[in-house]
Amino acid sequence: MTIRHLLSATALAALPAGFAFAEDLPPCEGCADSLTVVSWGGAYQASQQKAYSEPYAEMTGTDFTWDESSNEGVAKLRAMNEAGNITWDLVDVEGPDSQRLCDEGLAMEVDLDEMLAPAPDGTPASEDFGDSVVTDCFVPQIVFSTTFGYRTDVAAWNGKEPEGLCALFDTETFPGKRSLEKRPKKNLEWALLCDGVEKDDLYDVLDTPEGVDRALAKLDTIKDDVIWWSAGAETPQRLADGEVVLGSTYNGRLFSLIVEQKQPVKMLWDWQVFDYDGWAIPAGLPEDRLNRVKHFLYFATDTQRLADQARYISYGPSRASSQPLVSTHAELGIEMAPFMPTNPANQKNYLVNNIEWWADNQDDVEAKFQAWLAK
């Protein structure tokens, strides 16, 4: 169902002059015939294809090539820029990576109100997206979290189940392999929380010379029990295979594992880390490719499209106007609210990723983390 069909005649008449629905897109003049889009693979990328690219391709005939390299997006765009050959048209990024790309001139600045559709009531895009507009080069898409899943059938746990994040470090009560991302972000915060640091003091501690070392020392206590992941699909697969008993990944991947695959796994929402995810447009695209990117983004970020994505995966849409349109899973018919990171029941303890701190410190901390891994 489209936005147009959801609105009453009175509401339609009240829309501002010139308001356009995404389904009323005009032809894309001077546009390339194809798009190369970079994302994260797995259930998340599938939700983007179902909600955005498939209907857009049906409307416009555009050919899509999908690349699953978002985890390496900053490094690869740096290399492309140095080589003078930008082969990507649009990159799905987290907030801190958007800031780094913006700071380095690798992503173009965007005017959301000029480029994107307003809300159905005429609210400008920038206001409708609100706090999710985290950088000048960021086109918001979803709110997600990184959290933990654990198997419910581990015999060695004697019927106990983890009740909080710090079960990660309790290998005596909860023996077995863990799965953690092969990056410092989030792992350092979790380690410090379980080493007694208060939430409000995390980044003050990390700013000290000893802060990162303290977090790594805590991670040292489970290092031999960790299998590291680089792609979001790895932890769900390891949990499904019984290779690990507890692991971090994106909440939408765990939703797919638990609800769609019906694996004996539960979510552990304690100290989930919120992130904003969206699009970055590489700087220096030829005009025809940039025109196609803008045309696609107008469609893919409108109120209905963002609500549509949330019907395939449990990530909250960034637009305020999209949230009331999210109800049940498009295929399974179940209510999506209990699986959303923004559900109040799942927010008893949570963190918001500190975009500025990570943008300023990512490269140095990453080098230190990788050196620690190699020991």
Side-chain angles (χ1 to χ4, degrees):
M1 184 174 289
T2 66
I3 297 174
R4 183 188 295 280
H5 291 110
L6 290 169
L7 296 180
S8 67
T10 302
L12 285 169
L15 291 174
F19 178 81
F21 291 91
E23 53 262 30
D24 298 330
L25 278 176
C28 190
E29 302 293 342
C31 291
D33 296 328
S34 62
L35 275 173
T36 297
V37 183
V38 184
S39 190
W40 303 86
Y44 175 60
Q45 185 170 303
S47 73
Q48 292 175 307
Q49 292 168 326
K50 290 174 182 176
Y52 308 149
S53 65
E54 289 176 7
Y56 183 80
E58 185 176 349
M59 290 171 60
T60 66
T62 304
D63 291 324
F64 280 81
T65 298
W66 287 84
D67 185 308
E68 300 179 6
S69 300
S70 278
N71 203 40
E72 305 169 278
V74 174
K76 289 196 171 185
L77 276 175
R78 283 173 180 161
M80 290 180 191
N81 188 263
E82 290 173 5
N85 183 27
I86 309 297
T87 59
W88 293 347
D89 296 314
L90 192 59
V91 187
D92 189 295
V93 294
E94 297 175 9
D97 282 349
S98 170
Q99 185 67 63
R100 295 164 74 199
L101 292 171
C102 211
D103 290 345
E104 296 179 30
L106 299 174
M108 64 175 282
E109 294 188 6
V110 293
D111 183 333
L112 299 183
D113 294 335
E114 179 183 300
M115 191 170 69
L116 306 182
D121 66 359
T123 300
S126 60
E127 293 180 28
D128 201 21
F129 282 114
D131 291 341
S132 63
V133 184
V134 294
T135 80
D136 293 335
C137 300
F138 189 69
V139 180
Q141 186 183 170
I142 53 97
V143 180
F144 74 98
S145 76
T146 304
T147 189
F148 286 84
Y150 63 91
R151 288 197 63 101
T152 59
D153 59 353
V154 184
W157 292 1
N158 298 314
K160 296 180 181 178
E161 293 187 12
E163 295 181 358
L165 165 68
C166 297
L168 173 68
F169 296 94
D170 185 359
T171 55
E172 183 174 344
T173 306
F174 302 105
K177 292 293 186 182
R178 281 85 165 114
S179 183
L180 292 176
E181 187 174 9
K182 200 174 183 179
R183 300 172 73 188
K185 189 167 58 176
K186 301 162 192 164
N187 288 323
L188 298 189
E189 288 94 332
W190 286 329
L192 289 178
L193 284 169
C194 292
D195 200 44
V197 177
E198 295 294 324
K199 173 182 176 178
D200 291 343
D201 297 331
L202 282 175
Y203 293 98
D204 290 335
V205 172
L206 284 172
D207 260 338
T208 68
E210 301 81 16
V212 174
D213 289 337
R214 179 176 174 180
L216 293 177
K218 184 67 174 178
L219 289 168
D220 253 329
T221 65
I222 58 168
K223 189 175 182 182
D224 292 342
D225 296 297
V226 174
I227 302 174
W228 302 95
W229 62 266
S230 297
E234 292 178 54
T235 290
Q237 188 61 55
R238 290 170 183 166
L239 284 167
D241 293 343
E243 184 181 3
V244 301
V245 295
L246 175 68
S248 68
T249 191
Y250 312 122
N251 73 282
R253 302 301 179 94
L254 290 171
F255 169 84
S256 178
L257 181 71
I258 295 166
V259 177
E260 296 174 356
Q261 300 177 38
K262 302 187 184 306
Q263 291 289 331
V265 173
K266 284 186 180 179
M267 303 273 277
L268 184 63
W269 292 102
D270 192 43
W271 293 115
Q272 61 167 317
V273 181
F274 281 116
D275 275 292
Y276 296 111
D277 194 273
W279 302 108
I281 305 172
L285 291 181
E287 185 177 3
D288 62 334
R289 289 167 58 191
L290 180 58
N291 288 341
R292 177 59 69 187
V293 167
K294 290 181 176 180
H295 195 259
F296 172 68
L297 285 180
Y298 186 89
F299 174 84
T301 61
D302 91 325
T303 294
Q304 184 66 48
R305 248 45 61 178
L306 293 180
D308 286 348
Q309 185 184 6
R311 298 183 66 224
Y312 293 100
I313 196 164
S314 56
Y315 297 147
S318 291
R319 275 188 184 263
S321 63
S322 299
Q323 294 169 17
L325 302 184
V326 178
S327 54
T328 59
H329 190 280
E331 297 165 353
L332 303 176
I334 62 170
E335 291 294 331
M336 294 297 286
F339 301 97
M340 291 290 179
T342 48
N343 186 335
N346 301 331
Q347 290 185 274
K348 294 176 182 177
N349 289 316
Y350 68 93
L351 294 173
V352 177
N353 198 11
N354 189 312
I355 290 172
E356 293 79 11
W357 193 89
W358 279 108
D360 291 341
N361 295 280
Q362 176 86 27
D363 289 340
D364 290 342
V365 175
E366 183 74 42
K368 192 166 191 175
F369 183 79
Q370 296 302 329
W372 170 79
L373 278 179
K375 290 180 181 178

